[in-house]
Amino acid sequence: MEDQHIVNMANQIASFFEAYPDQAEAIDGVSGHLKKFWSPKMRVKLKEIADQGKIDNIHQLVLDAIKSI
């Protein structure tokens, strides 16, 4: 799967949860969604993309959420 596509999908999830008034709840929502619906391979790939700084438009909620995965 293409790096930008993975980031776009994660950003869409984060866009949904950013409406939550509690930041911690939003982060938990993103990480919970990624754990529940994404394969381990996809989660590892997203973390690698973020760690390597390959793509700079990763939503902050995604960055916060992958720390807990």
Side-chain angles (χ1 to χ4, degrees):
M1 189 173 282
E2 197 174 309
D3 292 353
Q4 186 62 56
H5 183 66
I6 288 177
V7 170
N8 288 344
M9 290 189 321
N11 284 345
Q12 288 175 340
I13 296 163
S15 292
F16 172 82
F17 285 104
E18 75 182 344
Y20 282 36
D22 182 350
Q23 184 76 2
E25 190 177 350
I27 293 167
D28 288 345
V30 174
S31 66
H33 184 94
L34 295 175
K35 288 176 189 174
K36 188 173 183 178
F37 297 108
W38 283 35
S39 69
K41 183 178 178 180
M42 290 173 66
R43 292 191 305 263
V44 167
K45 183 67 173 172
L46 179 62
K47 185 164 175 28
E48 287 174 356
I49 293 167
D51 289 346
Q52 296 172 4
K54 289 183 176 181
I55 297 177
D56 59 359
N57 69 332
I58 301 175
H59 196 290
Q60 187 60 47
L61 283 176
V62 174
L63 295 173
D64 293 339
I66 61 176
K67 292 176 187 173
S68 67
I69 295 178

